């Protein structure tokens, strides 16, 4: 929702993948993530609106690259038909596509007791069964108010956000006003399309106020990184134009069934019209999780391991693999994952839930299941098989260990990152004592501190932990002194910025809440904070706690700690 770009690791700076985000009034607002194992940058592309209401394109050069391809505005008189009239067959499908208006209020991660100035955005959505509407999660991120407008209507209906799936970039809304649902048929979902199947993306992108249609074909299907959630799930690549404001709009097949949700696009001087669609397998996974529990629980699990390809014949021989055996070697296992109790480094994963794993990490003869639909001949990363499961479900994993095949029944869980990829709409945590501002590091925090190129500008030790460190416990956080609010009591410490706190009065720091508790209950004469690089901060306990109140008053800070630390 802004113009910042995010990269994971040292990526090239030429190729840009963008979320086809909402049209927004704040050019500084952004949520984006990086794509692993591909030389791309990922960013959001919005249309900004100045305070007087004059819209200006922040990515006009990308928008102009489309050269007027397939996009056209479709009025009521057009009958809901795209160019050629052979993809969407009637008006009812078009009437199910709505425009989403959202007012956002983002946290200020650098000053966590504040929020940034609110801004407005518009995107797309569509009506499904059960009087619900689907759109993208990034379209309603940090929302304070969401409204929906139907095609051809001048009324905006107040919406309620039922669920936000950050990982899969899907949000579910509803409207209490029964008038909104009158005369509209919900969209029906179709099966996963094949390569070269025709698709039509419908929504309200930049360039006009009426509904727009772009047509193309499915050009690729693979596991890709979702920009908003920093997760890897199945995605469809299409050659239909997806522009700012298309976010959340449906992609229809030639039967008029929805086969996906538009959510991001690729921008690069050497490519044209590469867009990405969330497929029905991911959509139904999100919906079914909500239907089971009446809330979204973050239902896309991971296997909790880092693995290495076994394509080298000498490596396979050294690991005791026979010529007919294939698989991938486990490098590391996350201590917080259930697999940590049964799997070991250098185990060779040879199958997952009965599907054989190839030496390059793809499934052998993987079938893509959807509505009892099977397709042969597609090879895809076996992480797809894991993502098809729900958190808490079990899976059978076969490994080769010391030339013996072992079978384990493993309970799957979501990944616990030491530096979380997002805060899922919650305000950031902070704690202040004697002018020292302590906070927990997250990816949004790093982006706020170091800008769109934070993975190049972040201090090496923080960057190393972001890219490679694993949380040892479920509640572990990386706690830093983000800044020092200058006062007489902290003289000499003014230059401490984003430095990790390792221990307090000799006790290791596991998370921010634990640090706050130790300081608040400290009965020692001194407060001693051990920082990285062997730095030491020492304050007199009574003086520090008394000075805190004056500092809070000076900087108009309402509380010394965030609400989540008070409970």
């Amino acid at each position: 929702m802004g113009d910042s770009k995010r990269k994971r690791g040292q990526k090239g700076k030429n190729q840009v993948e963008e979320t086809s985000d909402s049209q927004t009034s704040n050019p500084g607002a952004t949520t984006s993530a990086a794509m692993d194992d591909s030389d791309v940058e990922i960013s959001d592309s919005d249309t900004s609106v100045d305070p007087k209401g004059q819209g200006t394109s922040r990515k006009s050069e990308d928008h102009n690259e489309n050269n007027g391809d397939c996009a056209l505005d479709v009025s009521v008189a057009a009958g809901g038909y795209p160019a050629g009239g052979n993809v969407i067959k009637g008006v009812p499908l078009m009437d199910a596509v709505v425009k989403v208006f959202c007012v956002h209020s983002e946290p200020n991660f650098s000053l966590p007791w504040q929020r940034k100035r609110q801004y407005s955005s518009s995107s797309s959505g569509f009506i499904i069964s059960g009087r619900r509407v689907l759109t993208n999660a990034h379209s309603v991120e940090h929302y304070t108010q969401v409204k929906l407008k139907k095609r051809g209507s001048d009324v905006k209906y107040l919406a309620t956000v039922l669920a936000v799936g950050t990982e899969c970039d899907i949000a579910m809304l509803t409207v209490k006003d029964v008038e909104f649902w009158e005369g509209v048929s919900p969209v029906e979902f179709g099966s996963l399309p094949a390569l070269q199947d025709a698709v039509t993306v419908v929504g309200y992108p930049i360039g006009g106020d009426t509904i727009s249609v772009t047509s193309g074909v499915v050009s690729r299907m693979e596991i890709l990184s979702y920009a908003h959630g920093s997760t890897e799930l199945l995605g469809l690549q299409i050659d239909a134009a997806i522009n700012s404001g298309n976010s959340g709009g449906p992609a229809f097949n030639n039967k008029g069934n929805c086969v996906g949700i538009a959510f991001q696009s690729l921008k690069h001087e050497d490519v044209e019209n590469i867009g990405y669609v969330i497929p029905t397998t991911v959509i139904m996974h999100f919906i079914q999780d909500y239907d089971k529990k009446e809330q979204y629980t973050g239902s896309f699990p991971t296997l909790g391991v880092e693995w290495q390809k076994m394509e080298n014949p000498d490596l396979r021989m050294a690991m005791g693999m026979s010529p007919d055996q294939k698989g991938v070697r486990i490098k590391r296992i996350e201590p917080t994952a259930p697999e940590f109790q049964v799997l070991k480094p250098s185990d060779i994963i040879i199958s997952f839930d009965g599907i054989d794993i190839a030496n390059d990490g793809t499934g052998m003869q993987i079938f893509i299941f959807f509505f009892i639909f099977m397709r042969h001949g597609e090879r895809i990363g076996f992480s797809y098989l894991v993502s098809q499961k729900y958190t808490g479900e079990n899976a059978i994993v076969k490994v080769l260990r010391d030339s013996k095949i072992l079978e384990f029944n493993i309970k799957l869980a979501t990944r616990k990152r030491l530096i979380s990829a997002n805060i899922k709409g919650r305000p950031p945590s902070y704690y202040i004592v004697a002018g020292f501002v302590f906070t927990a590091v997250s990816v949004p925090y790093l982006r706020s501190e170091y800008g769109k190129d934070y993975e190049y500008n972040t201090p090496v030790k923080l960057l190393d932990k972001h890219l490679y460190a694993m949380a040892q416990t479920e509640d572990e956080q990386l706690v830093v002194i983000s800044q020092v609010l200058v006062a007489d009591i902290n003289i000499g410490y003014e230059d401490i910025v984003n430095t990790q706190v390792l221990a307090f009065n000799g006790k290791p720091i596991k998370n921010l809440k634990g640090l706050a508790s130790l300081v608040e209950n400290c009965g020692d004469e001194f407060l001693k904070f051990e920082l990285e690089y062997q730095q030491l901060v020492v304050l007199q306990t009574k003086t520090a706690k008394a000075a805190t109140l004056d500092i809070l008053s000076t900087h108009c800070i309402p509380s010394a700690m965030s609400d989540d630390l008070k409970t």
Side-chain angles (χ1 to χ4, degrees):
M1 283 182 286
D3 54 0
S4 71
K5 303 172 185 175
R6 293 175 49 194
K7 302 170 288 301
R8 182 178 304 164
Q10 300 297 309
K11 306 293 184 184
K13 289 193 174 184
N14 294 324
Q15 199 171 1
V16 180
E17 184 166 348
E18 304 190 341
T19 57
S20 61
D21 209 345
S22 50
Q23 304 174 36
T24 131
S25 62
N26 183 356
T30 179
T31 300
S32 55
M35 196 173 192
D36 285 337
D37 304 324
S38 60
D39 188 19
V40 299
E41 293 180 3
I42 295 180
S43 68
D44 295 339
S45 176
D46 291 343
T47 297
S48 64
V49 180
D50 66 26
K52 297 182 180 180
Q54 302 297 318
T56 57
S57 174
R58 294 210 308 276
K59 289 281 186 177
S60 59
E61 69 278 10
D62 293 336
H63 176 58
N64 293 334
E65 284 179 359
N66 295 323
N67 296 324
D69 46 25
C70 303
L72 63 136
D73 286 338
V74 180
S75 65
V76 176
Y81 289 85
N86 60 350
V87 180
I88 298 182
K89 301 300 183 183
V91 175
L93 291 178
M94 308 288 280
D95 289 343
V97 182
V98 300
K99 193 168 185 177
V100 181
F101 298 87
C102 184
V103 177
H104 310 258
S105 180
E106 289 190 348
N108 187 336
F109 290 90
S110 298
L111 301 173
W113 52 88
Q114 298 180 355
R115 282 187 173 269
K116 296 180 181 178
R117 182 171 183 172
Q118 70 178 21
Y119 64 96
S120 301
S121 72
S122 66
S123 54
S124 307
F126 60 98
I127 296 172
I128 63 171
S129 61
R131 293 193 170 186
R132 299 175 293 187
V133 173
L134 292 185
T135 187
N136 281 143
H138 70 258
S139 297
V140 296
E141 185 183 30
H142 302 303
Y143 69 91
T144 56
Q145 185 184 76
V146 181
K147 291 183 178 180
L148 305 179
K149 187 173 74 171
K150 296 193 295 183
R151 180 190 179 204
S153 173
D154 62 346
V155 180
K156 296 179 182 178
Y157 296 88
L158 189 63
T160 301
V161 178
L162 298 177
V164 177
T166 304
E167 299 87 353
C168 56
D169 201 3
I170 303 175
M172 182 185 293
L173 320 174
T174 191
V175 174
K176 294 181 180 179
D177 194 332
V178 294
E179 183 181 282
F180 176 82
W181 308 102
E182 294 177 357
V184 180
S185 300
V187 166
E188 294 184 1
F189 291 102
S191 57
L192 201 66
L195 295 180
Q196 295 187 321
D197 277 0
V199 292
T200 300
V201 178
V202 183
Y204 294 88
I206 181 178
D209 295 325
T210 57
I211 204 165
S212 176
V213 176
T214 56
S215 300
V217 298
V218 176
S219 55
R220 182 176 292 165
M221 179 167 50
E222 64 181 353
I223 298 294
L224 58 88
S225 180
Y226 280 36
H228 180 64
S230 294
T231 51
E232 293 185 345
L233 298 170
L234 186 67
L236 303 180
Q237 178 182 308
I238 63 175
D239 62 1
I242 296 179
N243 298 307
S244 298
N246 264 128
S247 287
F252 294 106
N253 61 17
N254 55 8
K255 296 180 181 179
N257 294 324
C258 177
V259 296
I261 302 175
F263 77 120
Q264 60 191 42
S265 60
L266 185 67
K267 301 295 182 182
H268 183 262
E269 59 184 5
D270 295 331
V271 301
E272 293 182 1
N273 293 346
I274 293 182
Y276 295 97
V277 169
I278 303 171
T280 44
T281 49
V282 177
I283 298 170
M284 295 309 298
H285 196 280
F286 169 83
I287 293 174
Q288 289 169 6
D289 178 67
Y290 178 83
D291 288 342
K292 287 179 181 178
K293 305 169 184 176
E294 296 187 354
Q295 62 177 343
Y296 179 70
T297 59
S299 59
F300 293 89
T302 63
L303 194 55
V305 301
E306 291 182 0
W307 51 267
Q308 173 186 359
K309 295 180 179 179
M310 295 294 291
E311 296 176 311
N312 185 277
D314 293 336
L315 178 60
R316 292 199 301 272
M317 185 180 299
M319 298 303 299
M321 299 175 67
S322 62
D324 62 332
Q325 288 179 325
K326 297 183 178 181
V328 293
R329 173 183 172 269
I330 295 177
K331 295 191 298 183
R332 295 195 299 170
I333 307 169
E334 295 183 2
T336 58
E339 294 81 1
F340 188 78
Q341 306 300 323
V342 292
L343 300 181
K344 296 181 179 181
S346 289
D347 280 351
I348 309 297
I349 302 176
I350 58 178
S351 74
F352 180 89
D353 256 6
I355 302 296
D356 293 336
I357 307 303
N359 290 324
D360 63 354
T362 60
M364 300 186 63
Q365 296 180 343
I366 281 186
F367 305 139
I368 299 179
F369 292 93
F370 185 70
F371 292 150
I372 321 178
F373 171 83
M374 292 188 296
R375 175 177 303 126
H376 295 261
E378 302 284 356
R379 301 188 67 87
I380 194 168
F382 83 92
S383 61
Y384 168 78
L385 297 174
V386 182
S387 68
Q388 285 299 99
K389 294 281 192 176
Y390 289 89
T391 301
E393 287 187 347
N394 286 15
I396 303 297
V397 177
K398 286 186 179 181
V399 301
L400 181 69
R401 181 185 299 169
D402 299 328
S403 300
K404 297 180 180 179
I405 296 178
L406 304 177
E407 182 176 290
F408 299 103
N409 189 352
I410 295 176
K411 185 177 182 180
L412 300 175
T414 53
R415 182 180 181 185
K416 172 63 176 74
R417 300 174 185 263
L418 179 61
I419 296 180
S420 59
N422 52 73
I423 61 173
K424 298 184 178 181
R426 297 186 299 269
S429 301
Y430 71 91
Y431 175 66
I432 301 174
V433 61
F436 291 85
V437 182
F438 300 89
T439 190
V441 179
S442 64
V443 170
Y445 174 80
L446 294 177
R447 193 184 308 116
S448 174
E449 288 288 291
Y450 300 105
K452 60 184 180 180
D453 293 327
Y454 72 93
E455 291 200 347
Y456 294 96
N457 301 328
T458 300
V460 173
K461 282 198 173 184
L462 283 180
L463 184 59
D464 177 72
K465 291 178 172 64
H466 165 51
L467 296 175
Y468 305 112
M470 291 182 172
Q472 299 299 308
T473 60
E474 286 287 341
D475 59 351
E476 184 178 4
Q477 293 177 318
L478 185 66
V479 179
V480 297
I481 296 176
S482 65
Q483 61 178 307
V484 179
L485 305 176
V486 177
D488 292 342
I489 191 172
N490 52 48
I491 188 170
Y493 299 130
E494 302 93 337
D495 295 332
I496 297 178
V497 177
N498 289 328
T499 304
Q500 184 181 359
V501 183
L502 302 178
F504 171 74
N505 284 5
K507 298 179 181 178
I509 298 304
K510 186 166 63 171
N511 52 48
L512 184 59
K513 189 170 185 177
L515 172 64
S517 177
L518 289 173
V519 175
E520 289 295 308
N521 298 309
C522 180
D524 297 342
E525 182 180 0
F526 294 102
L527 305 177
K528 298 180 181 178
F529 300 93
E530 298 176 32
L531 313 180
E532 59 183 346
Y533 307 118
Q534 288 75 49
Q535 296 183 79
L536 183 65
V537 170
V538 180
L539 304 166
Q540 281 192 344
T541 303
K542 291 183 179 180
T543 306
K545 292 183 178 181
T548 299
L549 297 177
D550 293 335
I551 293 172
L552 295 179
S553 177
T554 300
H555 293 270
C556 300
I557 301 174
S559 175
M561 65 179 72
S562 54
D563 291 340
D564 61 312
L565 301 183
K566 297 177 182 178
T567 57

